Amino acid sequence: MRQEFKALVIEKSEDKTFSRHIKTRTTDDLPAGEVLVKVAYSSLNYKDALSATGNPGVSRNFPHTPGIDAVGVVEASDSAAFSVGDEVIVTSYDLGMGTAGGLGQYIRVPAAWVLKKPAELSAIEAMAYGTAGLTAALMVGALLDNGVTADKGPVLVTGATGGVGSVAVSILAKLGFQVTAATGKATSTDFLKSIGAAEVIDRATLLDASKPLFKEHWAGVVDVVAGDTLSNAIKSCQYNGVVTASGLVGAVDFTTSIFPFILRGVRLIGIDSVECSMAVRMKAWNNLAGAFKVDDIMQLVTEIRLEQVEESLMNMLEGKSHGRIVVNMADS
Ligand SMILES: NC(=O)c1ccc[n+]([C@@H]2O[C@H](COP(=O)([O-])OP(=O)(O)OC[C@H]3O[C@@H](n4cnc5c(N)ncnc54)[C@H](OP(=O)(O)O)[C@@H]3O)[C@@H](O)[C@H]2O)c1
């Protein structure tokens, strides 16, 4: 049945500038796919800000509806794996990049992108985590899988007030780690301590990449910044330290001497939440619903409506994000 709905639509003008409007679309406008989902909540991630401003590395075809995250209820399914009424989560793959995303009230996607929402998470909690939480869970999981335990010493989280960073701080604190949160926001110390950071440092102190090695300090690192910050973190790891890298808010590259790797056995692990297998993401979501579940994930959340998305995305591009932004997709 053809259904009208509201969506954020990014349009490209002839002079190659991009504009954002809320428009009425219909389910006939959506791409082919096995599962039609009525979206209850979406959430904002850095990649949505890039898509909404026409970054060609994220979205190339316009008009386009961004939103790499969605939780909602199956309205129609051609897949035996999903039935009408199932509560499901869809994140990443091509959602919100080339495929109309969760900032529309309906999405239609391949069944291979869909997972059933763990019962232990409410719909809004699922989006409080979203791709940021999934990524944080993959990063913390990689630290644990590689032998970083709470007794080994401090773990550094960069971009700590952002989506990935704030969820990572919360999960690590819940698991008993001594978390050092690096931030550019001097006013966020109380917030970061309230979510479990033992120490809050100015991110500018991590920009020194001048030496081949620094004093051993971090047992593990969760980095979303790259550039000199990542270089400094790698060179400041303890023997057998583990650095997980998922982001590029500071730079798209970094340099390092070889010494952290060959003298200290430091391991650098790249994290991808977009194309990782369904088995990997199921494990991460089950962790988010179980062992990693933060007592009050909602304290990270600002809930907004579709009409407020543009302002939040622009703040995100300016590095002003604070915690997680969940978009309530119900009619206002
Ligand atoms: N690999 C993956 O699968 C994956 C998945 C999700 C996200 N990501 C990437 O991870 C990064 C973070 O995503 P997010 O959704 O958490 O973004 P976000 O909510 O916008 O948070 C990014 C945080 O980084 C810090 N920051 C911003 N600009 C910076 C700069 N120039 N230098 C140093 N720090 C800066 C800020 O925190 P402070 O003010 O506290 O420093 C900001 O709040 C992005 O690059 C995103 O593309 C990758």
Side-chain angles (χ1 to χ4, degrees):
M1 191 185 71
R2 182 175 179 272
Q3 183 75 46
E4 282 196 346
F5 65 90
K6 276 192 314 181
L8 180 70
V9 178
I10 315 301
E11 289 172 312
K12 184 179 182 180
S13 65
E14 278 178 14
D15 64 359
K16 297 196 169 95
T17 55
F18 295 87
S19 59
R20 293 157 286 277
H21 302 282
I22 295 168
K23 298 215 159 174
T24 300
R25 305 201 70 204
T26 82
T27 44
D28 289 350
D29 299 328
L30 294 174
E34 291 127 344
V35 186
L36 179 71
V37 179
K38 183 171 187 189
V39 179
Y41 295 95
S42 183
S43 85
L44 300 189
N45 294 276
Y46 194 74
K47 205 180 248 181
D48 300 318
L50 297 178
S51 174
T53 48
N55 185 306
V58 180
S59 298
R60 288 186 172 272
N61 299 316
F62 299 89
H64 170 61
T65 292
I68 65 170
D69 283 350
V71 65
V73 175
V74 173
E75 286 239 326
S77 172
D78 294 331
S79 161
F82 299 100
S83 306
V84 172
D86 283 348
E87 288 190 277
V88 294
I89 296 171
V90 186
T91 67
S92 54
Y93 294 108
D94 192 48
L95 187 71
M97 296 177 66
T99 301
L103 293 171
Q105 291 174 309
Y106 281 85
I107 55 172
R108 191 185 286 117
V109 292
W113 297 3
V114 183
L115 61 90
K116 287 196 181 147
K117 179 179 74 59
E120 298 82 359
L121 294 176
S122 67
I124 193 168
E125 283 176 332
M127 284 297 98
Y129 289 111
T131 287
L134 171 64
T135 307
L138 292 170
M139 297 175 92
V140 173
L143 294 181
L144 296 174
D145 290 347
N146 285 281
V148 181
T149 46
D151 58 329
K152 295 265 168 70
V155 171
L156 172 68
V157 177
T158 65
T161 63
V164 176
S166 60
V167 181
V169 169
S170 305
I171 295 172
L172 286 163
K174 163 161 185 158
L175 297 177
F177 283 89
Q178 184 191 330
V179 184
T180 296
T183 182
K185 302 181 185 86
T187 52
S188 289
T189 300
D190 288 348
F191 165 71
L192 288 166
K193 290 204 163 167
S194 76
I195 63 172
E199 182 190 27
V200 179
I201 61 172
D202 182 342
R203 72 186 188 205
T205 63
L206 301 174
L207 288 175
D208 180 6
S210 58
K211 293 187 183 168
L213 270 180
F214 292 106
K215 202 171 155 215
E216 290 184 49
H217 195 58
W218 313 117
V221 176
V222 169
D223 179 62
V224 300
V225 176
D228 287 344
T229 302
L230 178 55
S231 178
N232 179 293
I234 291 169
K235 294 173 180 178
S236 306
C237 269
Q238 298 173 12
Y239 193 86
N240 266 343
V242 179
V243 178
T244 57
S246 70
L248 42 67
V249 289
V252 293
D253 52 18
F254 69 99
T255 56
T256 176
S257 70
I258 195 67
F259 296 120
F261 305 104
I262 63 172
L263 297 183
R264 292 185 183 162
V266 169
R267 281 153 293 162
L268 174 61
I269 300 176
I271 299 293
D272 169 51
S273 67
V274 180
E275 294 293 338
C276 64
S277 71
M278 189 48 86
V280 167
R281 68 181 71 209
M282 288 293 297
K283 182 177 172 195
W285 276 105
N286 285 334
N287 277 335
L288 289 171
F292 293 4
K293 188 164 192 261
V294 176
D295 291 339
D296 187 10
I297 188 67
M298 293 307 292
Q299 73 169 308
L300 298 185
V301 171
T302 305
E303 184 178 338
I304 64 169
R305 295 283 180 164
L306 204 47
E307 293 73 14
Q308 298 161 279
V309 164
E310 172 158 13
E311 186 185 350
S312 296
L313 290 176
M314 297 308 127
N315 280 337
M316 197 165 242
L317 284 177
E318 290 169 24
K320 294 181 186 163
S321 298
H322 193 277
R324 296 279 299 135
I325 298 170
V326 172
V327 187
N328 185 335
M329 296 300 295
D331 284 321
S332 42

